[in-house]
Amino acid sequence: MPLSALHFSSTLRVAKFVRCQFPNTAAHQVQFPNLQHLELEMITISEVSLHAMVSSCPALNCLMLSYSSGFRRFMINFLKLKRVEMYFGCSDTEIRLDELTVVNAPCLERLHHREPYEDNIYISIISAPKLKILGRITENIFRLELCTTVFKGLHDVRVAT
């Protein structure tokens, strides 16, 4: 991440970082109080740093993670977030997402997730009352929790259900 980005951190509304590596110290120093749209494409970032960076964006309403690595879990706990788009590559050498949890997202309307390893992912939606779109769910998904309902694979569930 260029240090010049930090000079504008208090006024930025949209930011896109491409092909960056975020050291733990840099991600914890960044504060984007007015950022509404954040795109992270082909970045390497630790789980702790990713959560620290996104947590520093209280006005965030759109988050896009594309072909990024370095974290196994991602927790969504943001009051204003409306849209999350997540796309992952198929490299066997990178750390990939294993767990996606929506803890508290009262404004979340769209959660789209796609990676080549859907059969290994665990998705849990605890609280997202406005969720209208829950992306791509395949029959090979490892585990899906929607509030108190748990699906282990979707083989026996009809599409209408």
Side-chain angles (χ1 to χ4, degrees):
M1 178 179 66
L3 293 176
S4 60
L6 297 177
H7 297 292
F8 302 104
S9 63
S10 65
T11 58
L12 279 177
R13 301 252 190 271
V14 176
K16 181 175 183 176
F17 297 98
V18 181
R19 296 183 192 263
C20 297
Q21 182 169 357
F22 286 90
N24 286 339
T25 55
H28 290 279
Q29 293 173 353
V30 176
Q31 294 292 319
F32 296 113
N34 295 306
L35 194 68
Q36 296 174 3
H37 184 101
L38 176 62
E39 290 186 44
L40 303 172
E41 184 176 328
M42 292 187 269
I43 65 159
T44 302
I45 189 167
S46 72
E47 185 175 316
V48 172
S49 294
L50 176 62
H51 285 108
M53 175 183 253
V54 177
S55 294
S56 75
C57 307
L60 193 65
N61 62 39
C62 181
L63 173 65
M64 301 183 83
L65 281 168
S66 302
Y67 308 106
S68 297
S69 63
F71 51 96
R72 292 192 184 278
R73 285 173 285 192
F74 186 65
M75 185 179 300
I76 298 171
N77 191 12
F78 305 103
L79 299 178
K80 295 183 179 182
L81 196 60
K82 292 182 181 179
R83 179 177 162 199
V84 176
E85 303 274 341
M86 303 174 83
Y87 304 100
F88 295 93
C90 58
S91 172
D92 291 332
T93 59
E94 62 189 32
I95 296 174
R96 65 173 196 245
L97 187 69
D98 290 332
E99 186 176 325
L100 175 59
T101 305
V102 178
V103 176
N104 184 22
C107 295
L108 187 65
E109 296 176 359
R110 180 181 176 136
L111 174 61
H112 190 260
H113 167 270
R114 185 169 189 175
E115 75 169 289
Y117 305 105
E118 280 101 353
D119 57 331
N120 292 327
I121 192 158
Y122 164 63
I123 299 175
S124 177
I125 312 293
I126 296 168
S127 179
K130 292 186 178 180
L131 189 64
K132 296 176 185 173
I133 298 172
L134 179 59
R136 183 174 184 248
I137 303 298
T138 69
E139 65 181 27
N140 295 325
I141 195 164
F142 173 68
R143 183 178 172 114
L144 171 65
E145 290 184 17
L146 300 173
C147 295
T148 59
T149 305
V150 178
F151 300 95
K152 289 185 179 181
L154 300 177
H155 300 289
D156 298 323
V157 178
R158 294 188 327 239
V159 174
T161 304

